[in-house]
Amino acid sequence: PDGFAPLRIADFQEVLGEPTVALTKLRELCFSGIPFDGGLRCLCWKILLNYLPLEKALWSSLLKKQRDLYSQFLKEMIIQPGIAKANLGVSREDVTLEDHPLNPNPDSRWNTYFKDNEVLLQIDKDVRRLYPDMAFFQRPTDYPCLLILDPQNEFETLRRRVEQTTLKSQTVARNRSGVTNVSSPLKSTPSSLSEYEVLPNGCEAHWEVVERILFIYAKLNPGIAYVQGMNEIVGPLYYTFATDPNSEWKEHAEADTFFCFTNLMSEIRDNFIKSLDDSQCGITYKMEKVYSTLKEKDVELYLKLQEQNIKPQFFAFRWLTLLLSQEFLLPDVIRIWDSLFADDKRFDFLLLVCCAMLTLIRDQLLEGDFTLNMRLLQDYPISDVHLILKKAKELQDSK
């Protein structure tokens, strides 16, 4: 329906032009997909994810306040520990006996530092692999974080922390010709060294920005810290904001992504917390809901999956936890998220999308055996998300 684009854009502009945004109207529009033009999607997502209030007059002061707060986080969690570490090399006066690296006291700053490094290495491994089929995350950002990349600074950046920690864990093995081969226990393939190519000083790749967002999130949310998969949730948000055509917003993509990610995580974090798996809000409950919905809509397919003992955790766990970000190409994931974020009973619609995905391949599933069907579900064959969303909407309306 691209022919409607100018009209649709006008509809969005009208709703967003009001002094107070009418949320219900905005949700209806966004549900059918948000145009990228004029930064509409970035703006709508910020409203739908409760980052921006509905009163437009409050926007500029709120953004300023949040972005300043984020700078504060950068200073406290990345720059301060880094300065402390850098100073150690210069002067040792500030290192008292109570707080040296070998201090077993759990409150020791060092203890925290090393624990953080474990989290950091996990994040690092995951963010370097974001959307490998797209060059975007490997490219330098136009707005590198000046606080951090100031050539004057002596402190340790996350990048340096990762390099130092990985070097320590690298084992040097000699092969027969006597050439020293540095292999890291984290990485088994030699080709992975190219992944560690770092942009020249003063530049920063987009994945490094994502790394910082996740590291700060982990520090501020020790109860959940970092769980693999969060990188897949932050990726599409950051991509959307960092490609905003409006440069004055694009410049603040990092801070804005951080707060939108935090708000989104507050809604889905239960999926990542293992201890909640079986509670009402946990992921097991949601997976079972996909099957009970399927049973209502298509009992024959439901029975077939049951009979083959294909459990929802084999595929729906990833679909639900990662909001389908792993099943489709990034532009399609973003389109699905327009509808998910616009759903006022947030993520009820996600269950219907999962159901739609099953019913759209029902004929193949009904014919296939366990192995074939598992392959279909692990590597979903339909790439047309419009078809899937249309089907999900039909299921929703047929309640």
Side-chain angles (χ1 to χ4, degrees):
D2 277 335
F4 299 112
L7 285 173
R8 271 186 65 70
I9 291 170
D11 289 342
F12 275 92
Q13 283 167 338
E14 188 184 337
V15 173
L16 294 167
E18 296 292 321
T20 302
V21 177
L23 188 57
T24 316
K25 239 192 214 156
L26 184 69
R27 281 205 165 116
E28 264 168 41
L29 282 174
C30 295
F31 187 78
S32 320
I34 309 170
F36 175 72
D37 313 67
L40 285 173
R41 174 175 279 131
C42 307
L43 181 54
C44 291
W45 278 17
K46 286 174 180 139
I47 297 170
L48 295 173
L49 291 171
N50 306 316
Y51 178 43
L52 285 178
L54 299 175
E55 295 77 33
K56 265 175 77 173
L58 303 174
W59 287 359
S60 59
S61 62
L62 176 116
L63 288 170
K64 182 171 175 355
K65 189 174 124 247
Q66 297 301 89
R67 289 160 180 176
D68 289 348
L69 177 62
Y70 187 74
S71 291
Q72 209 38 51
F73 293 156
L74 286 178
K75 287 176 188 151
E76 283 168 28
M77 284 163 232
I78 292 172
I79 295 177
Q80 288 305 331
I83 288 175
K85 180 89 195 290
N87 286 346
L88 286 181
V90 193
S91 70
R92 290 195 105 42
E93 292 96 74
D94 61 333
V95 187
T96 57
L97 269 164
E98 289 80 65
D99 200 18
H100 63 85
L102 299 175
N103 183 350
N105 173 359
D107 303 331
S108 150
R109 276 208 319 245
W110 279 106
N111 205 337
T112 318
Y113 181 84
F114 293 129
K115 272 217 170 57
D116 287 348
N117 280 357
E118 289 166 33
V119 175
L120 180 58
L121 281 187
Q122 181 61 57
I123 294 175
D124 192 73
K125 227 163 58 183
D126 294 345
V127 291
R128 286 172 190 271
R129 296 195 289 240
L130 268 178
Y131 295 97
D133 47 339
M134 285 176 57
F136 173 80
F137 286 96
Q138 306 303 324
R139 289 209 186 109
T141 162
D142 300 337
Y143 303 102
C145 178
L146 299 175
L147 265 176
I148 285 176
L149 293 185
D150 172 9
Q152 296 304 307
N153 86 39
E154 279 299 309
F155 73 84
E156 182 190 44
T157 56
L158 287 188
R159 179 195 287 189
R160 243 176 274 165
R161 254 175 103 156
V162 168
E163 283 165 8
Q164 289 177 352
T165 316
T166 349
L167 277 173
K168 287 198 188 89
S169 66
Q170 278 179 342
T171 47
V172 175
R174 283 186 174 276
N175 65 13
R176 276 190 215 112
S177 59
V179 181
T180 305
N181 160 30
V182 176
S183 72
S184 152
L186 295 173
K187 295 273 176 194
S188 46
T189 48
S191 67
S192 69
L193 282 177
S194 62
E195 282 193 62
Y196 278 81
E197 272 174 29
V198 169
L199 294 165
N201 275 339
C203 291
E204 204 174 27
H206 287 294
W207 65 261
E208 293 186 72
V209 182
V210 176
E211 174 167 86
R212 218 173 16 240
I213 293 170
L214 287 166
F215 182 70
I216 290 178
Y217 179 82
K219 290 282 289 171
L220 287 171
N221 296 276
I224 180 169
Y226 172 74
V227 181
Q228 207 166 7
M230 288 182 186
N231 54 319
E232 308 294 349
I233 301 285
V234 83
L237 286 176
Y238 175 73
Y239 174 81
T240 300
F241 296 164
T243 53
D244 191 327
N246 179 343
S247 61
E248 125 200 26
W249 289 66
K250 182 177 172 178
E251 188 178 337
H252 296 285
E254 179 177 350
D256 293 348
T257 301
F258 173 81
F259 291 108
C260 287
F261 172 68
T262 300
N263 291 357
L264 179 55
M265 279 305 297
S266 70
E267 299 181 23
I268 62 170
R269 58 182 284 170
D270 298 348
N271 295 349
F272 287 90
I273 299 177
K274 289 218 166 38
S275 59
L276 287 173
D277 278 0
D278 300 317
S279 65
Q280 280 294 82
C281 51
I283 188 74
T284 309
Y285 173 75
K286 288 177 187 142
M287 290 190 293
E288 278 160 10
K289 195 110 163 62
V290 170
Y291 266 25
S292 58
T293 312
L294 180 67
K295 190 176 173 183
E296 266 168 50
K297 307 286 183 188
D298 189 338
V299 73
E300 188 188 356
L301 179 55
Y302 167 78
L303 291 170
K304 176 76 178 182
L305 295 175
Q306 287 288 58
E307 172 202 322
Q308 290 189 351
N309 203 14
I310 292 181
K311 298 186 172 357
Q313 47 269 42
F314 297 160
F315 60 93
F317 178 79
R318 188 175 73 190
W319 291 6
L320 294 166
T321 306
L322 302 182
L323 307 180
L324 296 168
S325 61
Q326 288 284 279
E327 314 315 310
F328 302 99
L329 295 170
L330 186 58
D332 297 324
V333 171
I334 288 171
R335 169 59 194 94
I336 292 173
W337 285 16
D338 288 344
S339 296
L340 295 184
F341 296 164
D343 174 21
D344 59 343
K345 293 193 253 324
R346 189 101 89 219
F347 310 120
D348 271 11
F349 187 65
L350 177 59
L351 300 174
L352 292 167
V353 175
C354 294
C355 252
M357 286 168 69
L358 295 171
T359 54
L360 285 170
I361 55 169
R362 75 184 302 268
D363 297 350
Q364 288 155 278
L365 290 170
L366 290 171
E367 277 167 35
D369 59 4
F370 176 87
T371 315
L372 214 68
N373 286 345
M374 278 303 296
R375 198 170 305 145
L376 279 172
L377 295 168
Q378 290 281 335
D379 189 6
Y380 190 74
I382 299 175
S383 58
D384 181 353
V385 297
H386 294 280
L387 180 69
I388 295 167
L389 291 168
K390 193 170 152 237
K391 182 73 185 165
K393 183 85 181 91
E394 282 165 21
L395 293 176
Q396 188 180 44
D397 296 341
S398 72
K399 275 189 173 168

